[in-house]
Amino acid sequence: MPDATDEAFFDRADAHINLSNEQLREFGDLGKVSASMMFGTTRFNAWVSTRNFKSGEEMAQAREAMLKYFCEQYRMMLEDNLDDHINNFSKYMTAQDA
């Protein structure tokens, strides 16, 4: 989750969401836009991870630890956002229809 000192965390996240919303208006397919966003996130995270190693062999040794970290982070963030949408379902769905 965001570092308390990183005031731009949600601004950056919102920028990605806004891009996906623009793509949704253009392409009209929630599943495809969501899949593209998720693929982009995983590709970027793989690239960021690569920068921490001196070789592919070294990276391969850390592969399971990286998978565990990213999967745990994704699950934690998804749980928080699902709970938020469950608790605010009427508010969010009304705002969408407005």
Side-chain angles (χ1 to χ4, degrees):
M1 287 305 289
D3 180 333
T5 62
D6 185 0
E7 296 176 12
F9 177 87
F10 291 108
D11 292 338
R12 289 190 306 274
D14 287 345
H16 292 286
I17 293 166
N18 290 336
L19 174 61
S20 291
N21 286 333
E22 288 174 25
Q23 291 177 349
L24 183 57
R25 283 189 290 278
E26 182 177 347
F27 301 108
D29 189 320
L30 272 170
K32 288 182 178 180
V33 172
S34 177
S36 295
M37 184 178 198
M38 194 170 355
F39 179 81
T41 299
T42 61
R43 188 169 179 98
F44 184 77
N45 286 335
W47 177 77
V48 167
S49 297
T50 301
R51 297 173 54 85
N52 293 318
F53 299 97
K54 292 183 173 90
S55 69
E57 294 80 21
E58 183 184 0
M59 188 174 179
Q61 291 175 358
R63 183 179 187 273
E64 288 305 314
M66 289 184 291
L67 284 169
K68 182 176 188 256
Y69 169 78
F70 283 114
C71 288
E72 286 174 354
Q73 290 296 305
Y74 182 86
R75 182 179 180 103
M76 182 175 56
M77 291 178 192
L78 182 58
E79 286 176 347
D80 287 346
N81 281 288
L82 286 173
D83 290 345
D84 180 46
H85 280 75
I86 289 166
N87 294 326
N88 295 289
F89 186 86
S90 296
K91 175 180 154 187
Y92 291 160
M93 294 311 290
T94 302
Q96 176 189 13
D97 295 335

